[in-house]
Amino acid sequence: MDATGVDGRDDVVSHALAREEELRVETLRSEGCAIALVSGHAEIFGSELARGQSVKIGGGKKVAVFTFHGATIEITGKVEIAYVAGETPMVSYANAHAVLNAKRERAGAAGSSEEGPRVMCVGPTDVGKSTVCSILCNYAARSGQAPLYVDLDLGQGALTVPGTICAAPVDAQIDLEEGIPLEMPLVYFYGDLTVNNPEYYKHIVTRLGALLDERSKANDDARAAGCVVNTMGWIDGMGLELLLHAREALKIDHVLVIGQERLYGQLQQKLAGTDCQVFRMQKSGGVVERTQEFRRATRDRMFKEYFYGPTGELAPASQTAYFSQISLYRIGGGPRAPASALPIGQTASTDPMRIAPVVPSTSLLHSVLAVSHGKTQGDLLNSNVAGFIYITEVDMIQKKFTYLSPCPGELPSNVLLVGNLKWLGLDN
Ligand SMILES: Nc1ncnc2c1ncn2[C@@H]1O[C@H](COP(=O)(O)OP(=O)(O)OP(=O)(O)O)[C@@H](O)[C@H]1O
């Protein structure tokens, strides 16, 4: 049915949803659309829609508007596709939330020293892991809890720039336009999109786990709320080892396996005898497989959003720094000793935890660097980062960089970490 929508526009299509149905919407790459709830109750990935208000969904995004009891939804603007689906796993996700919340309430009861649930979503790529994490955080926030959203996914993480692992509390339902509020994120820089240095990745996950424990000791509400952890889609070989390591380091007690029976079986065997429960969750038919090209575009958008804001509302500061004013370091990948220098029979290896100074060069152009909280070279392995800068120019003659920083003024530290994160900027 076509009509004039809540925004007064005439390119509006209305959809009536029966109970437990969802409207799946894929926006065009080039432009977004607006979604409005006209009647009933509905939510997008656990975030409730307010009646009569429209929410902007950016270009290239894929969302589902779900209703437990029935709703009428209007879409304003052209979309790639919008269709109603009757079969969704949303009720099972809501049941999972009920189990987790019961544990939160027990842990939050007066005099209790019990831990709240620490949940981890695992599964292959494109099964809806990040989506389930958002749904669980939203449901928890709607019931007055503030779980920590932990993102261990380097390539398609939801919190800050790619190439990092991070955590942020979700104390209100996630804003559909602006994402998870990041007032106090805890971010560790890995510096790449895939794990080629498992030892260092494990090291920062362990650090994150220790900080989770400290937070939970210091604050009863945080202890009771627990955490919801998103993981990478790498589930074989070393990928599985990294998942099991994260499970232990973050003291996860509920693992939700989405969309793969084999992984479910493997984890059940590996975690037998621990106090961790493994659950199988159905994959939603709405989850869309993303091409490499789409994933690259999503990463570029995340870099852009970091510097310019989700709706382009921020104005990053362009600043300069002389090479002599900053110290650059790279973690891992120390040089191999030449075979001739090694005893017979030994193979050369790199030191995964080596901190190597980086000499400024034009190869840093278009790099995203992390501003470390570490004050000295020795601190770097254990320090989280304050934020990121983007190198827009390297002047080898004047020995200075020009960079974008989210805010003007001096950087919080002059110790910068270099990885392999490149972004071609707005012209891309
Ligand atoms: N029910 C649904 N209807 C429509 N789109 C959906 C639905 N559930 C998830 N999606 C979309 O499918 C895409 C993939 O989902 P998601 O990012 O949660 O998967 P993932 O398993 O975390 O992927 P990866 O391992 O690559 O990080 C996202 O764009 C998400 O918005």
Side-chain angles (χ1 to χ4, degrees):
M1 183 182 86
D2 290 355
T4 302
V6 289
D7 291 336
R9 282 173 53 169
D10 58 7
D11 51 346
V12 177
V13 179
S14 174
H15 298 265
L17 302 182
R19 56 178 300 174
E20 294 177 14
E21 283 188 338
E22 72 183 18
L23 174 66
R24 295 176 182 158
V25 184
E26 293 181 31
T27 59
L28 295 169
R29 283 286 284 280
S30 52
E31 61 180 289
C33 71
I35 293 181
L37 172 69
V38 177
S39 66
H41 294 274
E43 56 186 47
I44 296 183
F45 301 149
S47 236
E48 255 186 323
L49 295 177
R51 204 168 301 160
Q53 272 175 24
S54 65
V55 176
K56 288 198 177 63
I57 306 295
K61 293 209 171 163
K62 302 151 201 299
V63 298
V65 191
F66 175 78
T67 177
F68 278 101
H69 303 291
T72 307
I73 308 294
E74 276 180 0
I75 301 180
T76 306
K78 266 197 246 147
V79 294
E80 185 73 43
I81 186 169
Y83 66 97
V84 176
E87 243 179 64
T88 89
M90 285 300 290
V91 171
S92 65
Y93 297 165
N95 289 339
H97 159 71
V99 171
L100 300 173
N101 230 35
K103 188 166 163 74
R104 287 190 187 106
E105 272 159 22
R106 280 198 305 278
S112 168
S113 58
E114 230 184 277
E115 282 285 326
R118 294 191 179 195
V119 193
M120 185 159 100
C121 289
V122 304
T125 47
D126 290 331
V127 288
K129 298 181 295 300
S130 326
T131 305
V132 173
C133 289
S134 299
I135 293 170
L136 293 177
C137 283
N138 276 328
Y139 285 170
R142 281 165 59 183
S143 42
Q145 305 278 351
L148 204 63
Y149 188 121
V150 178
D151 208 328
L152 304 182
D153 189 354
L154 299 175
Q156 298 285 310
L159 285 181
T160 179
V161 302
T164 57
I165 63 167
C166 37
V170 179
D171 56 6
Q173 66 173 15
I174 301 170
D175 188 294
L176 289 162
E177 293 174 11
E178 308 213 328
I180 294 172
L182 287 178
E183 274 111 49
M184 292 276 287
L186 176 67
V187 185
Y188 281 95
F189 185 68
Y190 178 77
D192 214 330
L193 304 173
T194 51
V195 182
N196 38 31
N197 184 350
E199 210 162 312
Y200 177 54
Y201 182 81
K202 284 184 187 174
H203 177 79
I204 54 177
V205 172
T206 305
R207 290 289 307 161
L208 194 71
L211 288 172
L212 230 77
D213 290 345
E214 276 172 30
R215 182 175 182 268
S216 141
K217 264 197 215 120
N219 179 325
D220 282 342
D221 289 341
R223 170 180 53 75
C227 63
V228 177
V229 183
N230 183 32
T231 58
M232 291 183 285
W234 186 19
I235 52 167
D236 301 316
M238 176 54 70
L240 181 58
E241 190 182 316
L242 295 176
L243 283 182
L244 290 167
H245 168 267
R247 206 286 306 162
E248 211 175 317
L250 304 184
K251 302 200 177 78
I252 299 294
D253 52 16
H254 292 72
V255 174
L256 309 185
V257 186
I258 308 170
Q260 217 210 44
E261 305 243 340
R262 183 170 185 272
L263 179 64
Y264 173 69
Q266 276 176 313
L267 288 175
Q268 268 199 322
Q269 280 173 17
K270 300 234 183 237
L271 298 176
T274 68
D275 57 2
C276 179
Q277 288 175 283
V278 186
F279 299 87
R280 187 171 37 196
M281 307 291 288
Q282 203 189 324
K283 172 186 165 183
S284 167
V287 180
V288 192
E289 273 188 30
R290 292 165 295 177
T291 59
Q292 286 305 327
E293 158 58 16
F294 187 89
R295 284 170 181 273
R296 199 189 56 75
T298 308
R299 286 195 289 266
D300 284 344
R301 196 185 64 224
M302 294 206 67
F303 284 124
K304 180 176 159 203
E305 285 184 3
Y306 177 79
F307 291 102
Y308 291 88
T311 49
E313 74 283 13
L314 303 179
S318 180
Q319 313 200 120
T320 51
Y322 286 95
F323 295 167
S324 57
Q325 293 173 304
I326 53 175
S327 311
L328 298 169
Y329 295 100
R330 181 185 284 279
I331 295 175
R336 279 170 190 274
S340 57
L342 291 168
I344 294 166
Q346 272 201 18
T347 47
S349 64
T350 53
D351 176 1
M353 306 298 264
R354 179 170 183 265
I355 303 166
V358 174
V359 179
S361 71
T362 49
S363 66
L364 290 171
L365 186 64
H366 296 143
S367 292
V368 175
L369 310 183
V371 182
S372 177
H373 275 307
K375 297 278 175 279
T376 63
Q377 185 170 346
D379 284 346
L380 293 183
L381 278 181
N382 294 331
S383 302
N384 53 320
V385 301
F388 304 90
I389 62 165
Y390 172 59
I391 305 288
T392 52
E393 207 182 319
V394 182
D395 184 339
M396 293 305 289
I397 298 179
Q398 306 233 19
K399 300 199 180 315
K400 63 177 187 183
F401 296 115
T402 307
Y403 61 89
L404 277 190
S405 156
C407 43
E410 259 184 51
L411 292 174
S413 144
N414 60 359
V415 180
L416 302 183
L417 292 176
V418 180
N420 298 320
L421 299 182
K422 292 271 182 181
W423 174 47
L424 292 183
L426 288 184
D427 305 333
N428 180 23

Short mmCIF file of all heavy atoms in Angstrom, two decimals, residues 22-26 45 60-65 83 88-90 93 123-135 153 155-157 230-234 258 284-290 294-295, ligand 1:
data_model
loop_
_atom_site.label_atom_id
_atom_site.label_comp_id
_atom_site.label_asym_id
_atom_site.label_seq_id
_atom_site.Cartn_x
_atom_site.Cartn_y
_atom_site.Cartn_z
N GLU A 22 8.58 -10.59 11.07
CA GLU A 22 9.52 -9.47 10.94
C GLU A 22 9.58 -8.97 9.50
O GLU A 22 9.38 -9.73 8.55
CB GLU A 22 10.92 -9.83 11.47
CG GLU A 22 11.73 -10.79 10.65
CD GLU A 22 13.08 -11.12 11.30
OE1 GLU A 22 13.28 -10.90 12.50
OE2 GLU A 22 13.96 -11.62 10.57
N LEU A 23 9.84 -7.68 9.39
CA LEU A 23 9.99 -7.04 8.09
C LEU A 23 11.48 -6.88 7.85
O LEU A 23 12.17 -6.19 8.61
CB LEU A 23 9.31 -5.66 8.13
CG LEU A 23 9.49 -4.79 6.89
CD1 LEU A 23 8.82 -5.40 5.67
CD2 LEU A 23 8.91 -3.39 7.16
N ARG A 24 11.99 -7.58 6.84
CA ARG A 24 13.43 -7.50 6.55
C ARG A 24 13.67 -6.45 5.49
O ARG A 24 13.03 -6.48 4.43
CB ARG A 24 13.95 -8.87 6.10
CG ARG A 24 13.84 -9.88 7.24
CD ARG A 24 14.24 -11.26 6.83
NE ARG A 24 14.07 -12.17 7.97
CZ ARG A 24 13.92 -13.48 7.86
NH1 ARG A 24 13.94 -14.06 6.68
NH2 ARG A 24 13.78 -14.21 8.95
N VAL A 25 14.58 -5.56 5.78
CA VAL A 25 14.82 -4.45 4.87
C VAL A 25 16.29 -4.39 4.52
O VAL A 25 17.15 -4.37 5.41
CB VAL A 25 14.41 -3.10 5.54
CG1 VAL A 25 14.57 -1.95 4.56
CG2 VAL A 25 13.00 -3.16 6.09
N GLU A 26 16.60 -4.38 3.23
CA GLU A 26 17.98 -4.14 2.79
C GLU A 26 17.98 -2.81 2.06
O GLU A 26 17.27 -2.65 1.07
CB GLU A 26 18.44 -5.25 1.85
CG GLU A 26 18.57 -6.59 2.56
CD GLU A 26 19.04 -7.71 1.64
OE1 GLU A 26 19.80 -7.44 0.68
OE2 GLU A 26 18.63 -8.85 1.88
N PHE A 45 16.37 -5.27 16.03
CA PHE A 45 17.44 -5.96 16.77
C PHE A 45 17.38 -5.64 18.27
O PHE A 45 18.38 -5.33 18.90
CB PHE A 45 18.82 -5.63 16.18
CG PHE A 45 18.97 -6.02 14.73
CD1 PHE A 45 19.79 -5.30 13.87
CD2 PHE A 45 18.28 -7.11 14.21
CE1 PHE A 45 19.93 -5.65 12.53
CE2 PHE A 45 18.41 -7.48 12.87
CZ PHE A 45 19.23 -6.75 12.03
N GLY A 60 23.26 0.67 2.45
CA GLY A 60 24.05 -0.57 2.56
C GLY A 60 23.75 -1.37 3.82
O GLY A 60 24.39 -2.38 4.07
N LYS A 61 22.77 -0.93 4.63
CA LYS A 61 22.48 -1.67 5.87
C LYS A 61 21.34 -2.66 5.66
O LYS A 61 20.51 -2.50 4.77
CB LYS A 61 22.15 -0.70 6.99
CG LYS A 61 23.35 0.13 7.38
CD LYS A 61 23.29 0.55 8.82
CE LYS A 61 24.63 1.17 9.21
NZ LYS A 61 24.58 1.96 10.41
N LYS A 62 21.34 -3.68 6.52
CA LYS A 62 20.30 -4.71 6.45
C LYS A 62 19.74 -4.87 7.85
O LYS A 62 20.50 -5.14 8.78
CB LYS A 62 20.91 -6.04 5.98
CG LYS A 62 21.59 -5.94 4.63
CD LYS A 62 22.73 -6.95 4.51
CE LYS A 62 23.74 -6.58 3.45
NZ LYS A 62 23.29 -6.47 2.11
N VAL A 63 18.45 -4.66 7.99
CA VAL A 63 17.85 -4.75 9.32
C VAL A 63 16.54 -5.53 9.27
O VAL A 63 16.00 -5.78 8.19
CB VAL A 63 17.56 -3.35 9.92
CG1 VAL A 63 18.83 -2.54 10.10
CG2 VAL A 63 16.55 -2.58 9.07
N ALA A 64 16.05 -5.90 10.45
CA ALA A 64 14.74 -6.55 10.54
C ALA A 64 13.93 -5.85 11.61
O ALA A 64 14.43 -5.59 12.70
CB ALA A 64 14.93 -8.03 10.90
N VAL A 65 12.68 -5.55 11.27
CA VAL A 65 11.77 -4.94 12.25
C VAL A 65 10.88 -6.07 12.74
O VAL A 65 10.07 -6.61 11.97
CB VAL A 65 10.89 -3.85 11.60
CG1 VAL A 65 10.15 -3.06 12.66
CG2 VAL A 65 11.72 -2.93 10.73
N TYR A 83 10.73 -7.33 2.75
CA TYR A 83 9.73 -8.41 2.72
C TYR A 83 9.44 -8.87 4.14
O TYR A 83 10.25 -8.71 5.05
CB TYR A 83 10.21 -9.58 1.84
CG TYR A 83 11.42 -10.30 2.39
CD1 TYR A 83 11.29 -11.47 3.14
CD2 TYR A 83 12.70 -9.82 2.16
CE1 TYR A 83 12.40 -12.13 3.64
CE2 TYR A 83 13.81 -10.47 2.66
CZ TYR A 83 13.66 -11.62 3.40
OH TYR A 83 14.77 -12.26 3.90
N THR A 88 11.12 -16.68 12.34
CA THR A 88 12.33 -16.02 12.86
C THR A 88 12.71 -16.68 14.19
O THR A 88 11.83 -17.22 14.88
CB THR A 88 12.11 -14.51 13.13
OG1 THR A 88 11.64 -14.37 14.47
CG2 THR A 88 11.15 -13.86 12.17
N PRO A 89 13.98 -16.62 14.55
CA PRO A 89 14.36 -17.21 15.84
C PRO A 89 14.24 -16.21 17.00
O PRO A 89 14.78 -16.43 18.07
CB PRO A 89 15.84 -17.57 15.61
CG PRO A 89 16.31 -16.66 14.54
CD PRO A 89 15.12 -16.18 13.76
N MET A 90 13.51 -15.10 16.78
CA MET A 90 13.49 -14.05 17.80
C MET A 90 12.94 -14.53 19.15
O MET A 90 13.39 -14.09 20.20
CB MET A 90 12.67 -12.85 17.30
CG MET A 90 13.38 -12.02 16.26
SD MET A 90 14.94 -11.32 16.85
CE MET A 90 14.37 -10.11 18.02
N TYR A 93 15.65 -16.16 20.97
CA TYR A 93 16.60 -15.17 21.50
C TYR A 93 16.03 -14.52 22.76
O TYR A 93 16.74 -14.28 23.73
CB TYR A 93 16.92 -14.09 20.45
CG TYR A 93 17.60 -14.60 19.18
CD1 TYR A 93 17.66 -13.81 18.04
CD2 TYR A 93 18.19 -15.87 19.13
CE1 TYR A 93 18.29 -14.26 16.87
CE2 TYR A 93 18.80 -16.33 17.96
CZ TYR A 93 18.84 -15.52 16.83
OH TYR A 93 19.45 -15.98 15.68
N GLY A 123 30.31 -18.71 16.10
CA GLY A 123 29.77 -19.32 14.89
C GLY A 123 30.57 -18.85 13.69
O GLY A 123 31.41 -17.94 13.82
N PRO A 124 30.32 -19.44 12.54
CA PRO A 124 31.04 -19.02 11.32
C PRO A 124 30.68 -17.58 10.95
O PRO A 124 29.84 -16.96 11.61
CB PRO A 124 30.54 -19.99 10.25
CG PRO A 124 29.60 -20.92 10.89
CD PRO A 124 29.34 -20.48 12.29
N THR A 125 31.27 -17.07 9.89
CA THR A 125 30.94 -15.71 9.46
C THR A 125 29.49 -15.68 8.95
O THR A 125 28.96 -16.69 8.48
CB THR A 125 31.85 -15.24 8.30
OG1 THR A 125 31.89 -16.27 7.35
CG2 THR A 125 33.23 -14.90 8.75
N ASP A 126 28.91 -14.52 9.06
CA ASP A 126 27.57 -14.28 8.54
C ASP A 126 26.52 -15.26 9.05
O ASP A 126 25.79 -15.89 8.28
CB ASP A 126 27.57 -14.33 6.99
CG ASP A 126 28.30 -13.13 6.40
OD1 ASP A 126 28.31 -12.07 7.04
OD2 ASP A 126 28.86 -13.27 5.30
N VAL A 127 26.46 -15.39 10.37
CA VAL A 127 25.35 -16.17 10.94
C VAL A 127 24.51 -15.30 11.87
O VAL A 127 23.52 -15.74 12.43
CB VAL A 127 25.84 -17.42 11.73
CG1 VAL A 127 26.34 -18.49 10.79
CG2 VAL A 127 26.87 -17.06 12.78
N GLY A 128 24.97 -14.06 12.05
CA GLY A 128 24.20 -13.14 12.91
C GLY A 128 24.74 -13.02 14.32
O GLY A 128 24.00 -12.65 15.23
N LYS A 129 26.03 -13.25 14.52
CA LYS A 129 26.60 -13.17 15.88
C LYS A 129 26.48 -11.76 16.46
O LYS A 129 26.02 -11.57 17.58
CB LYS A 129 28.09 -13.59 15.88
CG LYS A 129 28.33 -15.00 15.44
CD LYS A 129 29.80 -15.36 15.48
CE LYS A 129 30.65 -14.57 14.49
NZ LYS A 129 30.27 -14.75 13.08
N SER A 130 26.94 -10.77 15.68
CA SER A 130 26.88 -9.38 16.19
C SER A 130 25.43 -9.00 16.46
O SER A 130 25.13 -8.30 17.43
CB SER A 130 27.44 -8.38 15.18
OG SER A 130 28.49 -8.90 14.46
N THR A 131 24.53 -9.45 15.57
CA THR A 131 23.12 -9.11 15.74
C THR A 131 22.57 -9.70 17.04
O THR A 131 21.90 -9.02 17.80
CB THR A 131 22.32 -9.63 14.53
OG1 THR A 131 22.93 -9.11 13.34
CG2 THR A 131 20.87 -9.21 14.58
N VAL A 132 22.89 -10.96 17.30
CA VAL A 132 22.39 -11.59 18.54
C VAL A 132 22.98 -10.85 19.76
O VAL A 132 22.28 -10.61 20.74
CB VAL A 132 22.73 -13.10 18.58
CG1 VAL A 132 22.38 -13.71 19.92
CG2 VAL A 132 21.98 -13.83 17.46
N CYS A 133 24.25 -10.44 19.68
CA CYS A 133 24.85 -9.69 20.80
C CYS A 133 24.08 -8.39 21.03
O CYS A 133 23.79 -8.03 22.16
CB CYS A 133 26.32 -9.36 20.51
SG CYS A 133 27.38 -10.81 20.58
N SER A 134 23.76 -7.69 19.93
CA SER A 134 23.00 -6.43 20.08
C SER A 134 21.64 -6.70 20.70
O SER A 134 21.19 -5.97 21.59
CB SER A 134 22.79 -5.76 18.73
OG SER A 134 24.01 -5.44 18.17
N ILE A 135 20.97 -7.75 20.21
CA ILE A 135 19.63 -8.08 20.73
C ILE A 135 19.72 -8.35 22.24
O ILE A 135 18.94 -7.81 23.03
CB ILE A 135 19.03 -9.29 19.97
CG1 ILE A 135 18.74 -8.91 18.52
CG2 ILE A 135 17.78 -9.81 20.66
CD1 ILE A 135 18.38 -10.09 17.61
N ASP A 153 35.95 -9.23 17.56
CA ASP A 153 36.01 -9.41 16.10
C ASP A 153 36.83 -8.28 15.49
O ASP A 153 36.42 -7.12 15.52
CB ASP A 153 34.58 -9.40 15.55
CG ASP A 153 34.51 -9.78 14.08
OD1 ASP A 153 35.59 -9.95 13.46
OD2 ASP A 153 33.39 -9.93 13.55
N GLY A 155 37.73 -7.88 12.30
CA GLY A 155 37.39 -7.47 10.94
C GLY A 155 36.07 -6.74 10.83
O GLY A 155 35.93 -5.78 10.09
N GLN A 156 35.05 -7.20 11.56
CA GLN A 156 33.70 -6.64 11.41
C GLN A 156 33.13 -6.30 12.78
O GLN A 156 31.95 -6.52 13.05
CB GLN A 156 32.77 -7.64 10.70
CG GLN A 156 33.18 -8.02 9.30
CD GLN A 156 32.90 -6.91 8.29
OE1 GLN A 156 31.81 -6.38 8.21
NE2 GLN A 156 33.90 -6.54 7.51
N GLY A 157 33.97 -5.80 13.67
CA GLY A 157 33.51 -5.45 15.01
C GLY A 157 32.51 -4.30 14.95
O GLY A 157 32.45 -3.57 13.97
N ASN A 230 31.07 -10.66 21.44
CA ASN A 230 31.00 -11.01 20.01
C ASN A 230 32.39 -11.53 19.58
O ASN A 230 33.40 -11.05 20.05
CB ASN A 230 30.65 -9.74 19.21
CG ASN A 230 30.49 -10.01 17.74
OD1 ASN A 230 30.07 -11.11 17.34
ND2 ASN A 230 30.85 -9.05 16.90
N THR A 231 32.39 -12.52 18.70
CA THR A 231 33.67 -13.13 18.32
C THR A 231 33.85 -13.15 16.80
O THR A 231 32.92 -12.84 16.06
CB THR A 231 33.73 -14.60 18.83
OG1 THR A 231 32.61 -15.29 18.26
CG2 THR A 231 33.67 -14.67 20.34
N MET A 232 35.04 -13.57 16.38
CA MET A 232 35.31 -13.65 14.94
C MET A 232 34.64 -14.89 14.35
O MET A 232 34.37 -15.85 15.06
CB MET A 232 36.81 -13.76 14.71
CG MET A 232 37.55 -12.50 15.06
SD MET A 232 39.30 -12.64 14.72
CE MET A 232 39.84 -13.66 16.06
N GLY A 233 34.47 -14.89 13.05
CA GLY A 233 33.87 -16.06 12.39
C GLY A 233 34.89 -17.15 12.07
O GLY A 233 34.58 -18.10 11.35
N TRP A 234 36.10 -17.04 12.62
CA TRP A 234 37.15 -18.03 12.35
C TRP A 234 37.02 -19.14 13.41
O TRP A 234 37.30 -18.90 14.59
CB TRP A 234 38.51 -17.34 12.46
CG TRP A 234 39.68 -18.18 12.07
CD1 TRP A 234 39.68 -19.31 11.31
CD2 TRP A 234 41.05 -17.93 12.42
NE1 TRP A 234 40.96 -19.77 11.16
CE2 TRP A 234 41.81 -18.95 11.83
CE3 TRP A 234 41.69 -16.93 13.16
CZ2 TRP A 234 43.20 -19.01 11.97
CZ3 TRP A 234 43.06 -16.99 13.30
CH2 TRP A 234 43.82 -18.02 12.70
N ILE A 258 25.87 -20.25 17.15
CA ILE A 258 24.86 -19.92 16.15
C ILE A 258 25.21 -20.58 14.83
O ILE A 258 26.33 -20.43 14.32
CB ILE A 258 24.74 -18.39 15.96
CG1 ILE A 258 24.55 -17.74 17.32
CG2 ILE A 258 23.59 -18.04 15.02
CD1 ILE A 258 24.66 -16.25 17.29
N SER A 284 19.14 -16.87 11.95
CA SER A 284 17.97 -16.26 11.32
C SER A 284 18.09 -16.34 9.80
O SER A 284 19.18 -16.12 9.25
CB SER A 284 17.86 -14.78 11.73
OG SER A 284 16.93 -14.14 10.89
N GLY A 285 16.96 -16.64 9.14
CA GLY A 285 16.95 -16.69 7.68
C GLY A 285 17.19 -15.31 7.08
O GLY A 285 17.46 -15.18 5.88
N GLY A 286 17.12 -14.27 7.92
CA GLY A 286 17.30 -12.92 7.40
C GLY A 286 18.75 -12.49 7.30
O GLY A 286 19.06 -11.52 6.63
N VAL A 287 19.65 -13.21 7.96
CA VAL A 287 21.06 -12.80 7.94
C VAL A 287 21.57 -12.87 6.52
O VAL A 287 21.37 -13.87 5.82
CB VAL A 287 21.92 -13.71 8.85
CG1 VAL A 287 23.37 -13.27 8.81
CG2 VAL A 287 21.40 -13.68 10.26
N VAL A 288 22.19 -11.82 6.11
CA VAL A 288 22.60 -11.74 4.71
C VAL A 288 24.09 -11.99 4.61
O VAL A 288 24.88 -11.43 5.37
CB VAL A 288 22.29 -10.32 4.17
CG1 VAL A 288 22.42 -10.28 2.67
CG2 VAL A 288 20.90 -9.88 4.59
N GLU A 289 24.47 -12.83 3.66
CA GLU A 289 25.91 -13.05 3.46
C GLU A 289 26.52 -11.83 2.82
O GLU A 289 25.94 -11.24 1.92
CB GLU A 289 26.12 -14.26 2.56
CG GLU A 289 26.16 -15.51 3.39
CD GLU A 289 26.55 -16.73 2.60
OE1 GLU A 289 27.32 -16.58 1.63
OE2 GLU A 289 26.07 -17.80 2.96
N ARG A 290 27.70 -11.44 3.31
CA ARG A 290 28.31 -10.23 2.79
C ARG A 290 29.55 -10.57 1.97
O ARG A 290 30.35 -11.40 2.38
CB ARG A 290 28.66 -9.30 3.95
CG ARG A 290 27.38 -8.78 4.60
CD ARG A 290 27.61 -8.16 5.92
NE ARG A 290 28.08 -9.13 6.91
CZ ARG A 290 28.40 -8.80 8.14
NH1 ARG A 290 28.34 -7.58 8.53
NH2 ARG A 290 28.80 -9.73 8.97
N PHE A 294 31.74 -5.91 0.13
CA PHE A 294 30.82 -5.28 1.08
C PHE A 294 31.50 -5.11 2.44
O PHE A 294 31.37 -4.08 3.11
CB PHE A 294 29.57 -6.15 1.21
CG PHE A 294 28.50 -5.49 2.04
CD1 PHE A 294 27.55 -4.67 1.44
CD2 PHE A 294 28.45 -5.67 3.42
CE1 PHE A 294 26.58 -4.04 2.21
CE2 PHE A 294 27.48 -5.04 4.19
CZ PHE A 294 26.55 -4.23 3.58
N ARG A 295 32.27 -6.14 2.83
CA ARG A 295 32.96 -6.08 4.13
C ARG A 295 33.98 -4.94 4.13
O ARG A 295 34.14 -4.22 5.11
CB ARG A 295 33.69 -7.39 4.41
CG ARG A 295 32.75 -8.47 4.81
CD ARG A 295 33.43 -9.83 4.85
NE ARG A 295 32.43 -10.80 5.23
CZ ARG A 295 32.13 -11.10 6.49
NH1 ARG A 295 32.81 -10.58 7.48
NH2 ARG A 295 31.17 -11.95 6.76
N1 LIG B 1 16.83 -11.04 10.74
C1 LIG B 1 17.56 -10.29 9.93
N2 LIG B 1 17.00 -9.70 8.85
C2 LIG B 1 17.74 -8.94 8.00
N3 LIG B 1 19.05 -8.74 8.14
C3 LIG B 1 19.65 -9.32 9.20
C4 LIG B 1 18.95 -10.11 10.15
N4 LIG B 1 19.84 -10.54 11.09
C5 LIG B 1 21.02 -10.03 10.73
N5 LIG B 1 20.93 -9.30 9.61
C6 LIG B 1 22.01 -8.60 8.89
O1 LIG B 1 22.90 -9.61 8.36
C7 LIG B 1 24.23 -9.13 8.34
C8 LIG B 1 25.14 -10.12 9.04
O2 LIG B 1 24.80 -10.21 10.42
P1 LIG B 1 25.90 -10.14 11.58
O3 LIG B 1 26.83 -9.01 11.37
O4 LIG B 1 25.16 -10.17 12.87
O5 LIG B 1 26.64 -11.51 11.32
P2 LIG B 1 27.99 -12.05 11.97
O6 LIG B 1 27.84 -13.49 12.17
O7 LIG B 1 28.31 -11.23 13.20
O8 LIG B 1 29.03 -11.76 10.82
P3 LIG B 1 30.65 -11.71 10.94
O9 LIG B 1 31.12 -13.01 11.45
O10 LIG B 1 31.09 -11.45 9.56
O11 LIG B 1 30.99 -10.57 11.88
C9 LIG B 1 24.19 -7.75 9.02
O12 LIG B 1 24.17 -6.77 8.01
C10 LIG B 1 22.89 -7.75 9.80
O13 LIG B 1 22.37 -6.44 9.96
#
